[in-house]
Amino acid sequence: VVSTQSTGGNKSALAKEENEEVGEEDGVVSAIAGSVEGLDVEFEKDSTARYDAWVDVQEKYLLLHETKRKAITLRDITAEDLAEVDALYDADRYTDLEDKLIELNTVCPHNCEVLWRLARLKWINGRTFQNSHNHKTFHLAHTLALNAIEANPSSGDAHRWAAILGYHRATKDGGKAQIYNMEAMKYHLEKAIEINPNDHQAWTILGNWHFEVAEMTSTQRAYSKYYCGVEPPTSSYETAMECFVRSDSIQPWAQNSLFMAITHLRMGGREHALEEFKRLYTRTIVTMEDYRIRKLAHIFILKLTDPSLIDRIKDMTIGRQIEGYRLPIFWHNTRSSYYMDTPAEKIMHIYSKY
């Protein structure tokens, strides 16, 4: 009886806290709407014009030097050239890959297959730079992806990377840029899926787009509507789950499984989510992305199982030492890392080189 009463008391307390949070959020929304009401303000949609000149200058470095260009004969890109490029990418030989892509971009300018691969390489390089140069590199990579679409609008890979790089560029440009980029990102992902319905990566990223939209609070929606002048899109966890399930049916991969587990948790499927997190926690670690997913799964397992105080102390002491030995000896980039690394992972990246 005591247990039942305490549980009921906890539920009523939680309900009271939720009502207070909703009330506070409604107050913030009203304040946002009132602060811009009656104001004739024209918002600037792109404040990154200073990077355009830098991109124009950098594009000349994507060609061979003038002295070498004289000995080059223009030709079409062959399947053997692309196979060699993909083999270098799979082997993480990014310096050789850049040299080969610059050579191909010189002998066959404005080729879609070369441009989106150059954009992907610039994204990989940009993730290791400091914030200022990191921003400029993402700007250049996004421009290359858009140029690839201009060269061949029917390339699903170009559309997928335009969506990915648009997200990274908008993240660096600020909150307004992220709002303006939402519909563009969705368009490119849907276009990539229309061109290639079996693109499991595009399905996963589209599912994550729907998940993030479903996660938007009323305060964020008010900011988008009143300050940015953009009516925010709507979606649901069910729509996101459909995309994740479709991706999993095409080709299962760890990042998609992580998103599926988190979405199950949001939809109330606690047991199913916990089972998926435990499966992700026991995966073999090969790349830093595998290590990141394992850490996230471990955090969710602790939250869902509510371990005892002794187990928590063990995890904070012995457990962290054991996890340190699970780090990959060498840093390997992975095609599933579509989101920015945390500062701790950047430190691990530097540490793993020595």
Side-chain angles (χ1 to χ4, degrees), residues 31-318:
I32 290 175
S35 64
V36 297
E37 187 176 358
L39 297 177
D40 185 14
V41 180
E42 184 175 348
F43 296 103
E44 185 180 1
K45 292 193 175 183
D46 189 2
S47 60
T48 61
R50 64 186 183 278
Y51 292 117
D52 292 337
W54 187 86
V55 170
D56 293 338
V57 172
Q58 288 298 309
E59 286 183 344
K60 73 178 183 181
Y61 294 111
L62 302 178
L63 300 170
L64 291 176
H65 192 267
E66 292 182 2
T67 56
K68 295 183 179 180
R69 263 182 269 172
K70 296 178 181 179
I72 290 292
T73 303
L74 297 181
R75 61 178 178 84
D76 293 332
I77 303 298
T78 63
E80 289 75 13
D81 291 328
L82 297 179
E84 181 181 353
V85 167
D86 293 337
L88 292 172
Y89 175 70
D90 293 334
D92 295 340
R93 294 170 56 186
Y94 298 127
T95 302
D96 296 335
L97 174 61
E98 184 171 17
D99 293 340
K100 183 63 179 179
L101 286 173
I102 289 175
E103 177 188 339
L104 295 178
N105 192 41
T106 305
V107 300
C108 186
H110 209 57
N111 182 278
C112 173
E113 297 298 320
V114 174
L115 287 174
W116 75 256
R117 285 173 169 83
L118 266 173
R120 179 181 62 182
L121 178 62
K122 290 299 178 183
W123 167 76
I124 292 173
N125 293 337
R127 293 170 63 217
T128 62
F129 294 148
Q130 297 296 327
N131 285 337
S132 58
H133 197 66
N134 175 297
H135 190 175
K136 293 187 288 186
T137 305
F138 287 154
H139 194 102
L140 173 61
H142 186 226
T143 302
L144 290 172
L146 295 178
N147 290 344
I149 294 175
E150 182 182 348
N152 181 13
S154 299
S155 172
D157 293 316
H159 279 285
R160 184 178 72 249
W161 278 100
I164 295 168
L165 295 166
Y167 163 81
H168 283 278
R169 175 180 172 179
T171 301
K172 291 295 182 180
D173 287 345
K176 287 184 180 179
Q178 294 181 55
I179 296 295
Y180 298 133
N181 181 63
M182 291 178 70
E183 289 297 338
M185 183 177 182
K186 182 183 179 184
Y187 166 78
H188 285 300
L189 290 172
E190 290 180 340
K191 196 70 177 176
I193 291 172
E194 178 186 341
I195 296 170
N196 181 13
N198 292 325
D199 188 345
H200 67 286
Q201 296 174 349
W203 277 110
T204 296
I205 303 169
L206 181 61
N208 192 62
W209 184 92
H210 285 289
F211 181 89
E212 294 296 335
V213 170
E215 288 274 283
M216 288 183 70
T217 64
S218 55
T219 304
Q220 292 172 325
R221 293 184 176 278
Y223 175 86
S224 171
K225 182 177 181 179
Y226 294 108
Y227 274 106
C228 301
V230 177
E231 189 68 32
T234 58
S235 189
S236 63
Y237 296 124
E238 288 75 15
T239 306
M241 180 58 74
E242 290 175 5
C243 296
F244 294 142
V245 170
R246 179 60 189 274
S247 174
D248 193 66
S249 66
I250 297 171
Q251 181 177 333
W253 59 315
Q255 197 168 52
N256 186 71
S257 300
L258 177 66
F259 290 143
M260 286 180 66
I262 297 174
T263 308
H264 274 301
L265 194 59
R266 291 289 192 275
M267 295 169 60
R270 180 189 178 97
E271 296 300 325
H272 192 99
L274 181 58
E275 180 182 347
E276 188 66 31
F277 285 131
K278 289 181 178 179
R279 188 179 67 82
L280 289 170
Y281 184 69
T282 58
R283 278 175 52 88
T284 302
I285 296 177
V286 178
T287 66
M288 289 298 295
E289 178 68 8
D290 296 331
Y291 182 75
R292 185 185 73 85
I293 291 174
R294 178 187 170 88
K295 286 196 302 181
L296 289 174
H298 185 51
I299 291 171
F300 278 105
I301 291 172
L302 290 178
K303 289 183 177 180
L304 292 174
T305 56
D306 192 21
S308 64
L309 178 61
I310 295 177
D311 290 336
R312 287 180 180 274
I313 293 174
K314 287 181 179 178
D315 181 69
M316 293 173 62
T317 54
I318 303 174

